[in-house]
């Protein structure tokens, strides 16, 4: 069982930055593919960014590519999401998620992740 806790959300003006953190319990963190997803009111949960365990390969949705950066520190069991040039449309609850095993097509799908954090609110004002 893996438990994850997100932090770092908040209120920021458009153009500003935030860094989200997600710390996981348990061992073998480096074996997990980690993802960040977000869900705005009335919308489905959507993929934001993902990172593999061993090599740290990264993947991004088109809407955040070039503005957000996902990274991980396996020694601290933590994954980060650095968000720059934030826009009002980035407003959502952000969730981190974990899954074991890497299949390229699965990294973008929320249903393929096993463990989830409780979410952290990000609000971007215009």
């Amino acid at each position: 069982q893996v438990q994850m806790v997100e932090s770092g959300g908040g209120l920021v003006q458009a153009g500003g930055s935030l860094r989200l953190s997600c710390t996981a319990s348990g061992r073998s963190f480096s074996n997990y593919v980690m993802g960040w997803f977000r869900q705005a009111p009335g919308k489905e949960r959507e993929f934001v960014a993902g990172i593999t365990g061993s090599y740290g390969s990264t993947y991004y949705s088109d809407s955040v590519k070039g503005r957000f950066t996902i990274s991980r520190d396996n020694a601290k069991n933590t994954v980060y999401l650095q968000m720059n040039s934030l826009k009002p449309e980035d407003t959502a609850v952000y969730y981190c998620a974990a899954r074991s095993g890497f299949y390229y097509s699965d990294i973008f799908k929320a249903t393929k992740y096993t463990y989830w954090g409780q979410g952290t609110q990000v609000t971007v004002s215009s």
Side-chain angles (χ1 to χ4, degrees), residues 45-65:
R45 192 168 297 190
E46 65 172 354
F47 172 80
V48 174
I51 186 167
T52 61
S54 299
Y55 295 103
S57 300
T58 58
Y59 304 86
Y60 298 94
S61 68
D62 289 342
S63 62
V64 308
K65 198 173 296 182

Side-chain angles (χ1 to χ4, degrees), residues 14-111:
S17 298
L18 284 174
R19 189 176 83 154
L20 305 183
S21 300
C22 172
T23 300
S25 65
R27 294 178 283 184
S28 303
F29 175 79
S30 62
N31 292 338
Y32 286 97
V33 172
M34 301 299 296
W36 284 99
F37 290 78
R38 67 187 181 187
Q39 188 166 19
K43 295 188 176 181
E44 293 186 355
R45 192 168 297 190
E46 65 172 354
F47 172 80
V48 174
I51 186 167
T52 61
S54 299
Y55 295 103
S57 300
T58 58
Y59 304 86
Y60 298 94
S61 68
D62 289 342
S63 62
V64 308
K65 198 173 296 182
R67 300 188 297 122
F68 291 11
T69 302
I70 187 171
S71 61
R72 65 191 298 160
D73 185 337
N74 289 334
K76 295 182 178 179
N77 280 17
T78 300
V79 62
Y80 304 98
L81 185 68
Q82 178 67 43
M83 305 185 294
N84 299 329
S85 303
L86 282 161
K87 304 176 182 180
E89 51 264 44
D90 295 317
T91 295
V93 178
Y94 283 70
Y95 299 88
C96 67
R99 58 160 285 131
S100 59
F102 174 70
Y103 299 94
Y104 174 77
S105 61
D106 290 349
I107 201 169
F108 306 99
K109 301 174 183 176
T111 56

